[in-house]
Amino acid sequence: MTKTNPGNFFEDFEVGQVLKHATPRTVTEGDRAAYGAIYPTRFAVPSSAEFAASVGLSPAPVEDLVGFHIAFGKTVPDVSLNAVANLGYAECRFHRPVVPGDTIATQSEVIGLKQNSNGKTGVVYVRSTATNQRDEVVLDWARWVMVHKRDLEAPAPETVVPDLAPVVAAEDLVLPAGLDFTTYDFEAAGEPHRFDDYEVGEKIDHVDGVTLTDPEHMLATRLWQNTAKVHFNTEARPDGNRLVYGGHVISLARALSFNGLANAQLIAAINAGAHVAPAFAGGTVYAWSEVLDKAETSAPGVGALRLRLVATKGRDETMTLRGDDGKYAPGVLLDLDVWALVPR
């Protein structure tokens, strides 16, 4: 028998199957530095230990998406090594901030399967849970991914599509212990805008753009130990292009959103997300946001904004998500729905 791992193909999955992913990964200050080198992030909480301590978070957490990327990367060898593309996310809650020294381990349960009509691929739905060294849940989420079949003659499984909530309810958000924005330093954070300055329906053009390069997104996939072939192997796709990891686009959009949402310090949940179109090196990513909802929280001085974060290839000053036909507008790469914590 071969000792190498070819990854799971669509017909290898069964509803109810539990996958315990190798290998646990310890977060270091190097992750904080590497994240800042790859993405133009400037949020004060993960950037400044002093600022983080002033709002009740000590030691200073790393970016929320560092934990997400590491936990997600753990799932790739078992879930999406043979993926065509990652399709979407739902019900993602960040249960506690990740700090240097935390060791993250992940396991997933298969919660749905649906073979595509072409008979060559299928969609696999999983719910993944990441825990730290104390067996505390760091984050959990559902995602669905299109995966190749190994044997085109393998029979299609019974179709099971899970019923996933469209939004994490505001009352179900998990707030970091000790978080307190009552003495929030707006000058240090970089913008004066607080909870009451944002209105439901408001759109924010984040203005800045970042051009994708192969070295950066491949460095990111390796940093998060994401081994999906399509991200670094030019032989994995018929067109010979390396597909940019969807999480790389998420982090770029999140970093770009600082201009206009600098005080959206922490991501509490990802309600839904869709990678609308593939991204490749050479494209320039821009971002805009729309305020979808607002909610009060039990933490002192803390409010929650529900935001649609949209990444586009090329800048769209009209901030159009969908055309009259209901389809995504040309250039839209990412449609991400998140709850973020901001000062009141």
Side-chain angles (χ1 to χ4, degrees):
M1 294 178 62
T2 180
K3 290 184 171 60
T4 57
N5 176 25
N8 289 317
F9 290 83
F10 179 70
E11 61 266 36
D12 296 323
F13 294 98
E14 297 179 1
V15 173
Q17 180 180 8
V18 175
L19 304 165
K20 295 186 177 181
H21 309 297
T23 55
R25 165 94 145 68
T26 301
V27 180
T28 71
E29 285 292 348
D31 291 300
R32 190 194 309 274
Y35 190 94
I38 298 171
Y39 308 109
T41 183
R42 291 176 285 165
F43 293 98
V45 165
S47 296
S48 166
E50 182 179 354
F51 189 97
S54 76
V55 298
L57 301 179
S58 184
V62 295
E63 292 265 358
D64 304 293
L65 291 174
V66 169
F68 176 80
H69 289 313
I70 290 174
F72 182 98
K74 300 293 94 186
T75 72
V76 170
D78 299 312
V79 175
S80 51
L81 190 65
N82 296 302
V84 179
N86 189 59
L87 299 177
Y89 312 91
E91 299 181 358
C92 176
R93 291 194 302 165
F94 293 78
H95 290 257
R96 49 184 39 82
V98 173
V99 301
D102 280 348
T103 298
I104 297 175
T106 312
Q107 74 172 32
S108 300
E109 180 183 357
V110 180
I111 58 173
L113 293 170
K114 182 179 185 295
Q115 181 165 302
N116 290 327
S117 58
N118 63 11
K120 298 178 180 180
T121 59
V123 179
V124 180
Y125 298 81
V126 297
R127 186 177 300 280
S128 301
T129 303
T131 54
N132 63 20
Q133 66 276 16
R134 294 179 293 276
D135 290 325
E136 300 165 332
V137 175
V138 173
L139 70 154
D140 59 357
W141 74 100
R143 72 159 169 142
W144 49 104
V145 57
M146 188 185 303
V147 180
H148 287 291
K149 292 184 70 174
R150 178 197 296 108
D151 178 8
L152 302 187
E153 301 303 318
E158 178 185 357
T159 295
V160 176
V161 177
D163 183 17
L164 300 172
V167 179
V168 175
E171 58 269 25
D172 292 333
L173 298 177
V174 182
L175 304 177
L179 185 67
D180 184 343
F181 281 169
T182 55
T183 59
Y184 190 92
D185 187 342
F186 288 89
E187 186 174 57
E191 282 183 355
H193 316 305
R194 61 177 74 214
F195 181 80
D196 289 336
D197 295 323
Y198 293 94
E199 299 292 336
V200 173
E202 177 182 1
K203 291 184 177 181
I204 304 160
D205 182 355
H206 299 302
V207 180
D208 307 308
V210 173
T211 300
L212 295 167
T213 69
D214 272 335
E216 287 175 325
H217 82 80
M218 288 194 297
L219 176 63
T221 61
R222 289 171 179 148
L223 180 64
W224 315 128
Q225 298 177 330
N226 181 332
T227 56
K229 302 168 187 176
V230 291
H231 299 320
F232 53 85
N233 184 346
T234 58
E235 297 179 354
R237 287 174 52 92
D239 61 10
N241 289 320
R242 301 176 184 91
L243 179 68
V244 173
Y245 163 46
H248 187 69
V249 177
I250 291 175
S251 278
L252 280 178
R254 164 68 174 160
L256 291 171
S257 74
F258 178 90
N259 192 349
L261 284 166
N263 295 317
Q265 290 289 348
L266 300 166
I267 299 174
I270 298 175
N271 299 303
H275 296 290
V276 176
F280 301 99
T284 299
V285 176
Y286 290 81
W288 57 269
S289 293
E290 179 183 5
V291 181
L292 299 177
D293 200 0
K294 301 172 67 174
E296 297 182 359
T297 79
S298 60
V302 179
L305 294 179
R306 182 182 164 204
L307 302 165
R308 165 172 281 131
L309 177 60
V310 178
T312 60
K313 179 183 177 182
R315 186 179 174 197
D316 175 16
E317 296 182 55
T318 68
M319 293 179 281
T320 300
L321 183 68
R322 297 179 185 271
D324 294 337
D325 59 1
K327 296 181 180 179
Y328 281 104
V332 174
L333 297 172
L334 170 74
D335 179 9
L336 196 69
D337 180 337
V338 305
W339 281 107
L341 303 181
V342 300
R344 290 187 58 81

